[in-house]
């Protein structure tokens, strides 16, 4: 592997672990040249080929790296682990391959990325949504923020799923 820090092709694997039920191998590597460490993931390439239909009607082969680039751009320097980003993309890729046989709209992919980012990090969600929906004004952004804010209030105002029985029924003390 080429080191992402010094661009040399001289590394050693210092740790390997299976994840996602053996579907992915996570390798921790150390560059022999600069001594810095980095993580790579190895997975079996999907056998069924999906084609993405873009907004302009063109067809391109599905590429998970495009999704990862969008997620990385949306997350920026937010405190989101690389594992969380990788898991988001992997789960999305698996769902797309499972649900779509040959073609999927890029808009569908974008909506699914947004949905997952909304649960992961609100700021990353808004960043991605602004690109995906191609906001033209601050009012467009404000409307999306209002929708997000309304969603958060609904979640915060819900009753806890498991209440303490003594609090629920004071007669049963």
């Amino acid at each position: 592997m080429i080191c992402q820090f010094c661009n040399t092709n001289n590394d050693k694997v210092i740790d390997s672990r299976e994840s996602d039920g053996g579907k992915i191998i996570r390798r921790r590597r150390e560059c022999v040249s600069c001594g810095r460490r980095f993580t790579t993931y190895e997975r079996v390439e999907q056998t069924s080929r999906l084609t993405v239909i873009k907004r302009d009607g063109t067809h391109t082969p599905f590429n998970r790296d495009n999704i990862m680039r969008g997620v990385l751009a949306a997350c920026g320097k937010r405190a989101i682990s690389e594992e969380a980003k990788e898991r988001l993309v992997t789960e999305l890729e698996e769902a797309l391959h499972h649900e779509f046989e040959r073609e999927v709209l890029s808009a569908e992919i974008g909506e699914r990325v947004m949905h997952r980012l909304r649960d992961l990090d609100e700021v990353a969600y808004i960043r991605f949504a602004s690109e995906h929906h191609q906001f033209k004004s601050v009012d467009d952004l404000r409307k999306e923020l209002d929708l997000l804010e309304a969603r958060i209030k609904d979640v915060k105002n819900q009753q806890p799923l498991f209440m303490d029985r003594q609090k629920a029924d004071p007669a049963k003390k």
Side-chain angles (χ1 to χ4, degrees):
M1 295 294 300
I2 294 176
C3 174
Q4 60 187 356
F5 304 105
C6 69
N7 291 324
T8 60
N9 190 5
N10 189 12
D11 67 273
K12 61 182 178 181
V13 175
I14 55 176
D15 183 36
S16 290
R17 294 184 185 174
E18 288 185 3
S19 64
D20 197 24
K23 295 179 183 177
I24 298 173
I25 297 178
R26 176 188 174 274
R27 297 194 195 281
R28 193 74 179 134
R29 297 174 181 271
E30 182 176 322
C31 177
V32 176
S33 300
C34 71
R36 296 190 68 183
R37 294 181 177 188
F38 57 99
T39 303
T40 60
Y41 295 89
E42 183 179 318
R43 74 182 50 73
V44 174
E45 189 172 358
Q46 297 287 340
T47 55
S48 66
R49 279 288 170 211
L50 269 181
T51 299
V52 177
I53 304 171
K54 298 189 160 209
R55 288 182 183 163
D56 64 3
T58 59
H59 291 63
T60 60
F62 176 84
N63 184 350
R64 71 175 269 118
D65 294 337
N66 293 343
I67 298 172
M68 181 57 88
R69 274 193 297 279
V71 168
L72 292 174
C75 292
K77 293 183 180 181
R78 305 283 300 160
I80 302 170
S81 71
E82 293 302 315
E83 287 80 16
K85 296 173 207 173
E86 182 68 31
R87 184 173 46 253
L88 183 151
V89 174
T90 298
E91 289 173 359
L92 178 60
E93 179 185 21
E94 288 176 358
L96 290 171
H97 280 286
H98 181 72
E99 294 175 39
F100 296 91
E101 192 172 319
R102 287 188 274 179
E103 295 180 336
V104 61
L105 295 172
S106 63
E108 176 69 24
I109 295 171
E111 289 296 321
R112 289 176 182 230
V113 171
M114 278 186 0
H115 177 75
R116 291 168 189 265
L117 280 174
R118 186 176 52 222
D119 295 335
L120 183 65
D121 184 86
E122 295 166 358
V123 173
Y125 164 74
I126 289 297
R127 288 176 178 168
F128 191 89
S130 69
E131 286 294 320
H132 178 68
H133 289 303
Q134 298 178 337
F135 294 155
K136 304 253 187 279
S137 68
V138 174
D139 287 333
D140 292 341
L141 178 61
R142 191 172 289 119
K143 287 175 190 173
E144 192 68 34
L145 288 170
D146 289 344
L147 289 172
L148 183 63
E149 186 68 24
R151 178 185 173 271
I152 292 169
K153 286 180 184 174
D154 289 344
V155 172
K156 286 182 179 177
N157 290 332
Q158 286 181 348
Q159 290 291 325
L161 294 176
F162 303 102
M163 292 179 60
D164 182 12
R165 287 182 185 207
Q166 292 179 345
K167 290 180 187 175
D169 189 359
K172 292 186 178 181
K173 285 188 180 180

